[in-house]
Amino acid sequence: RKADPTANPAIVTWIGYRSPNMIEVFAGDRAAAGAVPLASFIDGVNAVRGSSGNSMQSFTVLAHSYGSTTAAEALKISRTRVDSFVTYGSAGLEGDTTVDLLHADNMYSTMAGGDQTAGVGLKGSGRIDPIGIPGVDEFSSGNDNGGKRVTMHSMFAEEGEWSLVNWSKIGYLSAGTESAESMGKIIAGGRP
């Protein structure tokens, strides 16, 4: 609402593949298998988007952790484009991934300094960090502009949760984080 008070966003969670266990996260099999139904889902949303009378202004794919690996593979094979592709806490993208291969007009990525999990999947798999891909715009998950700093790999944590590793658990989509605010701006069709 801060980015565009007239925006009327809809958020859909896609659960259409079997996510990997801790060993499988190092391979690309689950991403390849999940890419086919996700690409079909993206094409279906775009078919509805293009129908007469539909007023969907922008279509953004947000992908967390290994979901970013799967979403990138889906965007390579989808027949239609999305406005923006956003990765956060990514487990890495396959080595052949370029912005040009993805059917996305814009790509954004963030990785929290307090995320001790994503790097394990990224480094252990040999995949590439989306932040290093030419043409990908990085946005902050720190507190550069006064927002809360993300301190964990999860998307969200209840207020006050803590562990021995993180005194205070704050996820990428927790209220008050710069990462959540930036993603809201992207969803509204803007830039972080």
Side-chain angles (χ1 to χ4, degrees):
R1 295 282 180 219
K2 285 181 188 178
D4 182 354
T6 65
N8 189 16
I11 308 291
V12 177
T13 300
W14 178 81
I15 306 172
Y17 83 115
R18 187 168 164 221
S19 60
N21 63 34
M22 287 304 292
I23 301 299
E24 294 168 328
V25 79
F26 299 113
D29 300 346
R30 298 281 183 199
V36 174
L38 180 55
S40 178
F41 178 79
I42 290 167
D43 290 338
V45 170
N46 271 320
V48 171
R49 178 183 184 188
S51 65
S52 64
N54 191 301
S55 62
M56 185 164 71
Q57 295 174 340
S58 70
F59 183 7
T60 299
V61 173
L62 301 173
H64 174 250
S65 195
Y66 194 83
S68 67
T69 312
T70 304
E73 292 305 296
L75 287 168
K76 290 176 187 176
I77 62 172
S78 66
R79 294 184 324 272
T80 59
R81 299 183 70 77
V82 298
D83 296 290
S84 297
F85 175 41
V86 179
T87 70
Y88 55 106
S90 178
L93 307 185
E94 297 302 333
D96 67 340
T97 304
T98 64
V99 172
D100 291 338
L101 283 178
L102 302 172
H103 293 129
D105 294 338
N106 302 289
M107 185 172 171
Y108 305 93
S109 187
T110 191
M111 177 74 76
D115 183 341
Q116 293 107 5
T117 304
V120 173
L122 182 61
K123 291 177 180 75
S125 68
R127 289 185 293 266
I128 57 175
D129 186 342
I131 292 172
I133 297 173
V136 173
D137 291 323
E138 181 180 8
F139 62 96
S140 177
S141 55
N143 60 352
D144 301 340
N145 298 312
K148 292 180 184 175
R149 182 179 67 86
V150 175
T151 63
M152 62 190 291
H153 181 64
S154 296
M155 291 188 285
F156 175 78
E158 293 295 331
E159 189 73 31
E161 275 189 54
W162 69 276
S163 71
L164 294 176
V165 177
N166 295 306
W167 291 96
S168 175
K169 289 187 175 186
I170 301 171
Y172 287 95
L173 299 178
S174 292
T177 60
E178 288 188 33
S179 55
E181 183 172 333
S182 291
M183 286 186 245
K185 289 176 181 176
I186 294 166
I187 290 169
R191 299 188 73 76

